[in-house]
């Protein structure tokens, strides 16, 4: 998809510049699902679509997260450690929750009912293809696309072993505490997701 292709192109450009000694580059890739206090995209978006949210394949697929403070510490180490120059690191949290675990904690944390509906992966992918086709005809961005369905329907876990071994990075905040802190902030800022006064 264009999003992933643009990231690949950017990384290639940076590595070429590094190899040509035009700049010193380090590539740090967050987990699939970056989130945290101050997040105005990922979790608020899920909350805004709570009523329409449907799990893909039961929400059993696992993902790797990147809690913002953990990721920031990883970025700082990338900048500080000489060995990082010219390297690529994944900075992802230790736990690999399922999509159902993420949404259950999120929805319950702000007082919403858990998402119970689910569709098979094949059906979700068919709907995404149709949504993309309609988007091309209408000129509007699709509400659903194959990239999102693939992320929600299949395990997508990257390991941060290289960052641990070479940079000494360790995530300080575990997933349950990270979600608790983030959800508390979302409860304090309902205008971001509730639709009230927006």
């Amino acid at each position: 998809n264009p999003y992933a292709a643009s990231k690949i192109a950017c990384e290639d450009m940076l590595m070429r510049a590094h190899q040509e000694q035009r700049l010193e580059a380090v590539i740090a890739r967050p987990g699939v699902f970056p989130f945290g206090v101050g997040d105005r995209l990922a979790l608020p978006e899920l909350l805004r679509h709570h009523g329409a949210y449907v799990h893909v394949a039961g929400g059993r697929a696992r993902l790797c997260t990147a809690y913002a403070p953990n990721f920031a510490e990883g970025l700082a180490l990338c900048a500080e450690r000489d060995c990082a120059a010219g390297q690529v690191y994944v900075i992802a949290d230790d736990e690999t929750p399922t999509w159902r675990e993420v949404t259950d904690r999120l929805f319950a944390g702000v007082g919403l009912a858990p998402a119970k509906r689910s569709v098979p992966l094949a059906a979700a992918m068919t709907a995404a293809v149709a949504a993309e086709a309609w988007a091309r005809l209408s000129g509007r961005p699709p509400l659903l696309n194959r990239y999102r369905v693939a992320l929600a329907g299949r395990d997508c876990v990257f390991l941060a072993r290289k960052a641990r071994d070479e940079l000494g990075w360790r995530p300080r905040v575990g997933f349950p505490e990270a979600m608790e802190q983030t959800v508390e902030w979302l409860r304090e800022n309902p205008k971001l997701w509730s639709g009230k006064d927006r």
Side-chain angles (χ1 to χ4, degrees), residues 3 21 24 54 96 111 115 129 151:
Y3 171 67
Q21 299 184 345
E24 186 173 277
V54 178
T96 57
V129 170
L151 283 182

Side-chain angles (χ1 to χ4, degrees), residues 24-28 71-87 89 91 163 166-167 169:
E24 186 173 277
V26 182
I27 293 172
F71 186 62
E73 289 185 6
L75 291 178
L77 289 171
C78 286
E80 293 166 2
R81 299 282 196 268
D82 290 338
C83 66
Q87 298 299 315
Y89 296 101
I91 311 290
E166 296 184 7
L167 305 177
W169 175 79

Side-chain angles (χ1 to χ4, degrees), residues 145-157:
N145 59 44
R146 285 171 288 176
Y147 175 73
R148 286 186 174 182
V149 170
L151 283 182
R154 301 184 182 118
D155 290 347
C156 197
V157 175

Side-chain angles (χ1 to χ4, degrees), residues 21-65:
Q21 299 184 345
R22 290 186 282 129
L23 56 78
E24 186 173 277
V26 182
I27 293 172
R29 299 171 178 161
V32 167
F33 196 78
F35 74 100
V37 172
D39 170 23
R40 285 170 162 74
L41 296 174
L43 295 181
E45 182 77 4
L46 283 173
L47 288 171
R48 281 192 291 272
H49 293 94
H50 167 261
Y53 187 84
V54 178
H55 286 295
V56 176
R60 293 183 298 273
R62 296 202 165 271
L63 65 151
C64 56
T65 61

Side-chain angles (χ1 to χ4, degrees), residues 137-173:
L137 291 172
S138 67
R140 297 178 182 170
L143 296 176
L144 185 66
N145 59 44
R146 285 171 288 176
Y147 175 73
R148 286 186 174 182
V149 170
L151 283 182
R154 301 184 182 118
D155 290 347
C156 197
V157 175
F158 310 127
L159 301 179
R161 188 177 299 123
K162 184 176 176 181
R164 287 173 168 274
D165 294 346
E166 296 184 7
L167 305 177
W169 175 79
R170 299 287 184 278
R172 291 192 194 187
V173 184

